[in-house]
Amino acid sequence: MEMQSNIQEYLKKTGFKEFSPKAFLFDMDGVLFDSMPFHAIAWKQALANVGVQFDEYTVYMNEGRTGKSTVNEAFEKQYNRTATDEEIQNIYNDKAAIFCSIAETRPMPFAKEVLNLLHANGKKIVLVTGSGQKSLLSKLNETYPGIFNNENMVTSFDVKYGKPHPEPYLMALQKANVKPNEAVVVENAPLGVRAGVAANIFTFALNTGILQDEILANEGANIVLPSMQAFHEIIPDLLQI
């Protein structure tokens, strides 16, 4: 079985003696919600409004950063400086308003089935997102009832560094009360994958966006899959580990 070889490589790299997944740590945008196309439009427009060029591909490459980090990344490339706190707040407010005006709350296909299956089998579930988009965070319980609450969520409001730093996933391990080899990360963003790998957690990358598989693999993803449906299909194997 191919996954067994990936697990063996993970154990060899991390030095853990076993892999026993008890907790599943999910990113939000591009994993639980099919929202990245709307984020791309909103970031591109909000930054263009202050004269900063930021194309769709760059949005996907920077997905997972906090709003502050995203704005600073853009400003450093174009203006060779970080943005002021006022600039950051104004741009992020503009981005959030644009997003709310155009976005549809679209659950990622098979996300509900994945969460319900894991929940039914007693697995811990933690949301780990760099987003502070309140319009989406507020939709979690409506879209996935009985799964999320304040105790099993890590958002941009909780972290100091954010992805690609491992801090969000290390915080999620604490919330789930598990060790790195007792968890699984489910991500779609290069920086999110990097954060999960840096936290020594077995990391699945779901390529639900416009990037090449190689980009996710090169960030250290243990397994790259094309969709949440593909992840749903291998959950029975994970439950037997």
Side-chain angles (χ1 to χ4, degrees):
M1 175 181 161
E2 183 180 353
M3 188 161 61
Q4 286 298 335
S5 63
N6 296 100
I7 291 171
Q8 290 305 313
E9 289 178 10
Y10 163 77
L11 294 175
K12 182 178 179 181
K13 180 179 178 181
T14 59
F16 293 122
K17 297 191 183 307
E18 64 176 2
F19 172 57
S20 178
K22 299 175 182 176
F24 288 74
L25 318 180
F26 289 90
D27 180 39
M28 183 172 69
D29 294 292
V31 175
L32 299 182
F33 289 116
D34 187 12
S35 50
M36 277 307 299
F38 305 113
H39 281 295
I41 293 169
W43 271 122
K44 182 179 177 181
Q45 184 60 54
L47 286 164
N49 288 346
V50 294
V52 177
Q53 296 180 347
F54 209 68
D55 60 25
E56 181 183 22
Y57 186 85
T58 306
V59 174
Y60 277 84
M61 287 297 293
N62 282 277
E63 182 193 351
R65 293 187 187 275
T66 62
K68 178 179 180 179
S69 179
T70 300
V71 173
N72 278 331
E73 181 78 6
F75 267 59
E76 285 170 353
K77 285 187 176 179
Q78 183 148 337
Y79 297 134
N80 200 31
R81 68 173 177 88
T82 57
T84 66
D85 288 344
E86 182 179 4
E87 286 172 327
I88 291 167
Q89 192 61 56
N90 289 339
I91 292 167
Y92 192 75
N93 288 346
D94 191 23
K95 181 263 175 182
I98 295 168
F99 180 88
C100 288
S101 71
I102 62 173
E104 304 167 18
T105 304
R106 303 191 306 209
M108 187 63 70
F110 280 85
K112 184 173 291 187
E113 290 84 349
V114 165
L115 294 175
N116 287 342
L117 180 57
L118 294 172
H119 185 68
N121 281 273
K123 300 300 181 181
K124 298 178 180 180
I125 296 170
V126 183
L127 178 80
V128 186
T129 177
S131 177
Q133 192 76 48
K134 293 180 180 180
S135 59
L136 282 182
L137 292 171
S138 65
K139 293 284 187 180
L140 277 168
N141 282 330
E142 179 182 324
T143 309
Y144 305 109
I147 301 296
F148 296 105
N149 56 63
N150 288 337
E151 300 304 313
N152 68 343
M153 293 170 57
V154 177
T155 75
S156 66
F157 302 110
D158 302 308
V159 299
K160 179 179 179 180
Y161 300 106
K163 304 169 187 176
H165 194 280
E167 177 196 28
Y169 282 110
L170 295 175
M171 191 176 293
L173 293 176
Q174 291 179 338
K175 283 181 175 280
N177 194 28
V178 295
K179 300 173 183 176
N181 61 315
E182 296 175 329
V184 166
V185 164
V186 185
E187 266 284 355
N188 72 304
L191 300 185
V193 169
R194 192 189 305 174
V197 172
N200 283 328
I201 306 170
F202 193 93
T203 300
F204 286 89
L206 311 186
N207 194 357
T208 60
I210 64 174
L211 304 178
Q212 297 84 7
D213 283 356
E214 295 76 32
I215 291 175
L216 297 168
N218 289 341
E219 292 290 355
N222 298 101
I223 297 178
V224 179
L225 297 173
S227 65
M228 185 63 96
Q229 179 177 355
F231 183 66
H232 181 259
E233 291 170 357
I234 67 170
I235 286 179
D237 295 327
L238 288 170
L239 293 176
Q240 292 177 10
I241 296 174

